[in-house]
Amino acid sequence: MMRILKAIFLLALGTGRLFSQETTETKESRLDFTANIQNNHLWRGLIITDKPVVMGNLSYALDAEKKWKVGIWGASALADDKDNTHYKEINYYVQYSDGRLYIGLWDLYNSRNINTAVAADDIFSYSQRRTAHIIDLRTNYTFGPSFPINIEADIMLYGGANAGEVILEPDGSYKKNRYSTYVQASYPVIKDQKVNLDAFVGAGFALNDRTFLYGNGKNSFDIVNVGVKAGKVIKITEHYSLPVYMMAMWNPSNKFARIQLAMTVF
């Protein structure tokens, strides 16, 4: 009798576990988010902050194939920079990607060190003359497996008063935008290995002015970002791996260099 009761108990326990696993099984979702931790934030050859940064990206796929997405990207430094300002950024975007072609329209807002003499520190201000927002068109394309070079081209379409993108008339009225442009070519020097390595070179220029955002303010065209980026995946547990990478970059125009260490936590 005791054996029968024990068998029934074990069977019920096993069925309960099976039912629990079935009911708690997660479904594929169009909503997703990721988080990164980095020792600094480097962007198109610029040093946005030298302090450690936490970044988050929340996205929602508009189609079943997840080619079209809308999202919010944000970041914050963990300490003040040496000028006693604190890096904080929130961006909104809509993008399309099919694995080789990427097109995105981003609304950038970096609240660090806004000069209120030339730009509004109101996040809801989109004034043509004073907005600190930057509407940024981003594109890149990766060629086929036999020639896996990636070409990137990004144009600042609107705003950016705090970044010097807006040019005013002598009376303070709006004159034009610079349309600072960044182009980059990258190539996978080592791929499909335990440690992969990409090399890249980026240049800047303005479509509507002699100088542009990424350079030293002296040249109309300049190389602003040269470097290599190595990445690998560290297995932590059976079900969790940690992608990490190291990047070395040089900006020949502004004459500085940095090392970046980063990890994608989830």
Side-chain angles (χ1 to χ4, degrees):
M1 185 65 178
M2 290 299 296
R3 290 181 179 178
I4 295 175
L5 291 174
K6 185 177 181 180
I8 294 173
F9 174 76
L10 292 174
L11 179 62
L13 181 63
T15 304
R17 287 178 176 173
L18 179 61
F19 181 76
S20 175
Q21 291 173 356
E22 289 176 350
T23 55
T24 59
E25 189 174 300
T26 58
K27 295 181 180 180
E28 185 70 18
S29 175
R30 293 190 181 189
L31 183 67
D32 197 12
F33 67 96
T34 60
N36 280 44
I37 298 176
Q38 303 179 178
N39 69 310
N40 55 26
H41 183 28
L42 311 174
W43 182 67
R44 299 178 186 173
L46 298 177
I47 303 169
I48 305 303
T49 178
D50 264 324
K51 298 301 179 181
V53 176
V54 175
M55 301 177 171
N57 183 26
L58 175 66
S59 64
Y60 183 80
L62 300 176
D63 62 316
E65 295 180 331
K66 299 184 179 181
K67 292 183 178 181
W68 286 95
K69 291 183 179 181
V70 294
I72 301 172
W73 183 96
S76 179
L78 299 180
D80 289 348
D81 273 86
K82 60 184 180 181
D83 60 359
N84 295 320
T85 61
H86 194 94
Y87 165 68
K88 290 173 287 186
E89 184 171 353
I90 182 168
N91 304 333
Y92 324 109
Y93 64 86
V94 57
Q95 65 183 34
Y96 169 85
S97 177
D98 64 4
R100 292 177 63 177
L101 172 66
Y102 172 90
I103 301 175
L105 191 64
W106 285 63
D107 179 347
L108 316 179
Y109 184 79
N110 181 352
S111 63
R112 177 185 171 190
N113 200 25
I114 292 179
N115 180 3
T116 55
V118 298
D121 58 359
D122 179 359
I123 192 172
F124 298 107
S125 173
Y126 284 86
S127 162
Q128 185 182 48
R129 187 175 68 88
R130 287 180 52 82
T131 184
H133 286 266
I134 297 173
I135 305 302
D136 191 46
L137 176 64
R138 303 180 177 186
T139 67
N140 69 68
Y141 183 77
T142 302
F143 291 85
S146 60
F147 185 62
I149 192 170
N150 177 273
I151 301 297
E152 175 182 345
D154 310 310
I155 305 172
M156 294 184 174
L157 299 177
Y158 181 86
N162 196 59
E165 278 296 289
V166 178
I167 308 298
L168 302 178
E169 298 284 3
D171 64 359
S173 61
Y174 174 83
K175 180 179 181 180
K176 65 179 182 179
N177 271 64
R178 294 183 193 273
Y179 302 122
S180 285
T181 301
Y182 177 80
V183 292
Q184 176 181 289
S186 61
Y187 186 82
V189 180
I190 300 173
K191 62 178 182 177
D192 301 325
Q193 302 292 323
K194 183 177 180 180
V195 179
N196 297 316
L197 182 71
D198 290 350
F200 58 87
V201 57
F205 57 93
L207 298 180
N208 199 31
D209 199 56
R210 192 183 67 82
T211 60
F212 56 95
L213 174 63
Y214 312 105
N216 58 20
K218 300 177 181 178
N219 304 316
S220 58
F221 177 91
D222 220 341
I223 301 298
V224 297
N225 196 19
V226 179
V228 291
K229 179 179 177 180
K232 65 180 179 179
V233 177
I234 301 174
K235 186 175 181 180
I236 305 300
T237 69
E238 188 66 26
H239 303 288
Y240 179 73
S241 296
L242 187 66
V244 298
Y245 70 82
M246 173 179 172
M247 179 174 68
M249 63 78 68
W250 293 262
N251 185 322
S253 179
N254 289 314
K255 302 187 186 308
F256 57 68
R258 287 295 187 275
I259 294 292
Q260 182 177 84
L261 296 171
M263 66 181 78
T264 301
V265 183
F266 53 82

